[in-house]
Amino acid sequence: MSVAFDEHRATRDTDLGDEELRARLSKTWGTMRGLVDALSTVDHKIIGIRYLVTAFAFLLAGGVMAIIMRLQLARPDNHLVDAELYNQLFTMHGTTMMFLFGVPVGEAFAVYLVPLMVGTRNIAFPRLNAFSYYVYLFGGLMLWGGFALSIRPDVGWFSYVPLANLDFTPGKGPDYWAQMITFTEVAALAVSVEIVVTVLKQRAPGMTLDRIPLFVWTMLVHSFIIIFAMPAVMLASSMLIMDRLVSTRFFNAEAGGDPLLWQHLFWFFGHPEVYIIFLPGTAFVSAIVATFSRRPVFGYLPMVLSLIAIGFLSFGLWVHHMFVTGLPQVGAAFFTASSMAIAIPNGVQIFCWIATLWDGKPVLKTPLIFVLGFFFIFVAGGLSGVMLASVPIDTQVHDTYFVVAHFHYVLIGGTLFPLIAAVYYWFPKVTGRLMSERLGKWQFALAFIGFNTTFFPMHMLGLLGMPRRVYTYPAQMGWGGLNLLASTGALLFFASFLLMLYNMVVSARSGSPGGDNPWGADTLDWATTSPPQPQNFDRIAYVTSGSPLWSQGDDKPVVGGLKVDERELLVTTVTEALPDIREESPAPSIWPFMAAFATAVIFIGSIYTPWAITLGSPVVAVVLVAWFWPKTMGENV
């Protein structure tokens, strides 16, 4: 079926046959070759891959630091690194994993997949998307470049005051840390706005709210959490750097400031941050469980409501990080209840996934095997989280390795295992080739054994009294055996990622061809070629069910009338996804790169002199004028 729009003289997709249409659209939407063209691209798929590669590079760097720390703690009174370097490694490891890997890797998948899943040709605000990547890249390079030049933050990934104040840490390391926070959060906020608009206004016609894939629903909630949570940490980091550089006193108790204000601002972001990192994993799980069970996920409405509940409840938990700061008992009781209540929507999701597998016909391929590992690990982490929600227990184990074990079970179990599953699942979409199943199963064995061998003993170390953030310990404490076991597991866990990297490189070159839809999935991202064409879809699908590839078959209805020689998108209504307007999508431009570069120069310069902002702002203004000039208006359908 083809639905045509009002006709103009421009060539439209209804005027051409399939082969000619594909060739013309590929030329219109493609990225030219050359360095300037590569820096100018606004193709969401290229930018999504760049996000992924960069995030995995930071994962590898952070993992190397974790191995060094575990080798230092493998035996008592060790001297592999000294206390100063250990603090720097600890800070860089946590900062890299939380800010340069955990958040960006989830958004990378969203940037690549959400436009494909909703059936559009590009993400909303594609130049902003390119800008967000370069800001993220420059922020990460700034932090790691400073580390290479011995400008190293050493105040923890949370940068608590007063330790992070200028009086106690006079170097520039905390300033680089604070500016990196602002960089990465600008990037995260930009991507979130793009995802929200793409989901609400660029869905394929017919994709009503109850037909949106659970992956897309999850990324929508994920984006809203970022939009409401990130400004808190950006405000906190800006206040910290102003305290350090221009002598404000936001966190200086002697001058009327309040050190606890930092904790409130940071953890108001920090606990939603846990779900910002965790929710993309649930998106991966929903897609993979449905595909390999050969049926839609059980309980679509409860799943969506659970996601929304998690989004709301995640903002009512931050004070459980502060139970030992002297809270009123009424406040502690409220946050205890909130911390336990959020287990309910998480539990609903787990039971819906299990019901889907139980009622389906599971196919045990590598992606599903990693998802099953995620179930075990995340549930274990959730149980210890309920324990820590209790004020008496939290008071006893606060700042011990029990807490380290808990959040690694939640974040590693909730992020890395689904993430690895997603890599195996969508690798053929990106490359057209399948990864090795045999190497995938070997990787799962190494990862599952290595992970549990690393972090389960830390529960016992915490109960035995081993404190967090110590670089060594005396032999008479009796912690040596469990630490050696944990360090051995860390080596196995790290080896599993090296095996995955090898599998990816070999498979990209010589893996088995996967075809367009090797798994028999049901969402629109598998309705196009693998890898996708620059325009994503030759013809825009008309969606009639929540599983279009399963229910609609090969003869899928389409909507026609978009221009072929211009980058034109179809904008639809929010609820019913009815055709609304045709809108021109911005062409490639070098100005987002230039804007990100100019912003980076200002931010880095401001670490050394406030005049950098005054002198650099006009340059950024000129670049932004060039970026946004000229503008075009959409056409009514």
Side-chain angles (χ1 to χ4, degrees):
M1 180 181 72
S2 178
V3 180
F5 294 73
D6 58 314
E7 295 298 327
H8 294 274
R9 292 182 179 179
T11 303
R12 300 188 181 275
D13 50 18
T14 51
D15 301 331
L16 303 175
D18 291 344
E19 292 187 7
E20 185 179 0
L21 175 63
R22 174 166 295 184
R24 296 271 290 272
L25 286 173
S26 296
K27 182 179 179 180
T28 300
W29 288 86
T31 298
M32 303 296 288
R33 295 184 178 181
L35 178 60
V36 174
D37 295 318
L39 294 175
S40 303
T41 186
V42 292
D43 188 332
H44 74 97
K45 299 179 294 299
I46 295 175
I47 295 170
I49 291 172
R50 290 176 181 175
Y51 259 113
L52 275 173
V53 171
T54 307
F56 273 102
F58 285 128
L59 171 66
L60 183 63
V64 169
M65 291 189 162
I67 291 299
I68 295 173
M69 289 189 291
R70 283 314 317 168
L71 292 176
Q72 165 64 21
L73 294 171
R75 62 188 183 91
D77 300 312
N78 202 1
H79 299 288
L80 177 65
V81 297
D82 59 19
E84 181 180 10
L85 180 56
Y86 186 91
N87 283 338
Q88 294 166 356
L89 293 172
F90 166 78
T91 302
M92 288 294 293
H93 166 73
T95 300
T96 298
M97 291 304 195
M98 297 295 286
F99 296 104
L100 297 178
F101 170 71
V103 176
V105 76
E107 293 199 314
F109 276 91
V111 165
Y112 191 98
L113 292 171
V114 166
L116 291 170
M117 285 194 174
V118 300
T120 188
R121 286 178 174 161
N122 204 353
I123 199 168
F125 313 124
R127 290 184 181 178
L128 180 63
N129 191 36
F131 172 79
S132 73
Y133 170 72
Y134 293 124
V135 168
Y136 160 59
L137 176 64
F138 291 147
L141 292 178
M142 178 194 69
L143 183 71
W144 278 86
F147 184 84
L149 297 173
S150 297
I151 308 173
R152 301 169 180 172
D154 57 357
V155 290
W157 72 270
F158 34 77
S159 198
Y160 277 165
V161 295
L163 176 61
N165 286 347
L166 191 62
D167 293 339
F168 295 96
T169 310
K172 290 295 184 182
D175 301 324
Y176 273 71
W177 181 92
Q179 292 293 53
M180 183 279 305
I181 295 297
T182 306
F183 267 101
T184 56
E185 307 322 329
V186 166
L189 283 168
V191 172
S192 297
V193 170
E194 297 154 19
I195 295 299
V196 168
V197 176
T198 301
V199 174
L200 295 183
K201 293 298 295 178
Q202 290 185 199
R203 302 195 309 277
M207 187 178 284
T208 54
L209 293 179
D210 59 345
R211 294 173 181 168
I212 297 177
L214 286 174
F215 181 101
V216 177
W217 265 115
T218 306
M219 290 304 181
L220 180 63
V221 173
H222 172 261
S223 297
F224 274 114
I225 295 175
I226 289 176
I227 289 170
F228 286 103
M230 292 299 185
V233 73
M234 292 176 68
L235 174 64
S237 63
S238 299
M239 292 164 69
L240 174 63
I241 202 167
M242 285 193 290
D243 272 9
R244 293 178 55 84
L245 298 182
V246 295
S247 301
T248 56
R249 292 293 183 266
F250 292 109
F251 306 119
N252 188 335
E254 295 180 357
D258 187 356
L260 281 183
L261 175 62
W262 169 267
Q263 290 197 40
H264 280 291
L265 289 173
F266 185 84
W267 290 118
F268 183 80
F269 144 83
H271 206 88
E273 164 86 341
V274 172
Y275 291 93
I276 290 170
I277 293 174
F278 164 69
L279 279 178
T282 69
F284 306 150
V285 172
S286 293
I288 291 169
V289 165
T291 295
F292 290 101
S293 297
R294 299 294 186 259
R295 59 151 294 162
V297 173
F298 176 84
Y300 179 91
L301 181 59
M303 287 288 289
V304 173
L305 294 177
S306 295
L307 289 168
I308 297 172
I310 288 170
F312 278 105
L313 289 172
S314 67
F315 286 92
L317 310 180
W318 84 91
V319 177
H320 80 209
H321 294 271
M322 303 169 60
F323 278 157
V324 298
T325 59
L327 294 173
Q329 289 188 355
V330 173
F334 171 82
F335 286 100
T336 293
S338 299
S339 302
M340 293 183 176
I342 203 167
I344 297 173
N346 283 312
V348 168
Q349 289 187 302
I350 293 289
F351 283 117
C352 286
W353 290 324
I354 292 174
T356 306
L357 291 167
W358 184 271
D359 194 44
K361 297 179 179 178
V363 180
L364 284 178
K365 296 291 187 179
T366 299
L368 185 60
I369 292 173
F370 272 96
V371 165
L372 296 177
F374 152 80
F375 288 161
F376 175 85
I377 290 171
F378 180 73
V379 169
L383 292 174
S384 62
V386 173
M387 296 170 64
L388 290 171
S390 170
V391 175
I393 296 177
D394 183 83
T395 302
Q396 292 299 313
V397 299
H398 185 77
D399 272 346
T400 72
Y401 259 82
F402 189 93
V403 179
V404 177
H406 159 69
F407 72 69
H408 278 89
Y409 261 81
V410 171
L411 291 182
I412 302 296
T415 302
L416 284 184
F417 275 78
L419 175 64
I420 298 168
V423 169
Y424 279 88
Y425 182 68
W426 277 290
F427 188 83
K429 172 52 58 182
V430 176
T431 67
R433 297 183 180 274
L434 294 164
M435 293 178 68
S436 168
E437 282 288 318
R438 180 173 60 86
L439 291 180
K441 292 178 172 62
W442 274 104
Q443 184 196 349
F444 173 77
L446 282 174
F448 191 78
I449 295 170
F451 174 86
N452 287 287
T453 305
T454 302
F455 297 108
F456 187 78
M458 292 184 186
H459 292 95
M460 293 179 281
L461 284 168
L463 294 175
L464 291 173
M466 183 174 177
R468 304 166 63 181
R469 309 166 195 147
V470 292
Y471 86 104
T472 191
Y473 51 92
Q476 57 266 31
M477 299 304 296
W479 303 330
L482 290 172
N483 270 300
L484 179 60
L485 183 62
S487 297
T488 303
L491 291 172
L492 290 176
F493 194 49
F494 188 74
S496 73
F497 286 93
L498 297 180
L499 182 60
M500 182 179 73
L501 180 62
Y502 171 79
N503 195 354
M504 293 172 67
V505 172
V506 172
S507 298
R509 293 179 177 179
S510 57
S512 301
D516 292 341
N517 189 3
W519 311 119
D522 67 324
T523 47
L524 289 180
D525 51 317
W526 298 101
T528 184
T529 58
S530 296
Q533 299 291 323
Q535 70 275 15
N536 291 349
F537 303 94
D538 298 334
R539 303 186 191 275
I540 303 301
Y542 185 86
V543 177
T544 59
S545 79
S547 301
L549 270 63
W550 287 348
S551 63
Q552 296 179 208
D554 295 330
D555 189 22
K556 293 181 288 295
V558 296
V559 173
L562 294 177
K563 294 178 182 178
V564 174
D565 298 317
E566 297 179 22
R567 293 175 172 239
E568 194 169 64
L569 296 171
L570 177 61
V571 177
T572 54
T573 57
V574 173
T575 55
E576 298 298 319
L578 299 174
D580 190 8
I581 63 171
R582 294 190 299 264
E583 183 175 66
E584 185 176 348
S585 181
S589 171
I590 193 63
W591 294 113
F593 172 81
M594 299 300 295
F597 182 79
T599 303
V601 171
I602 289 178
F603 272 60
I604 296 172
S606 68
I607 294 174
Y608 297 94
T609 172
W611 286 104
I613 298 176
T614 303
L615 298 175
S617 295
V619 177
V620 174
V622 170
V623 172
L624 291 177
V625 169
W627 175 353
F628 289 106
W629 187 304
K631 296 180 179 180
T632 59
M633 300 297 291
E635 300 177 42
N636 291 326
V637 171

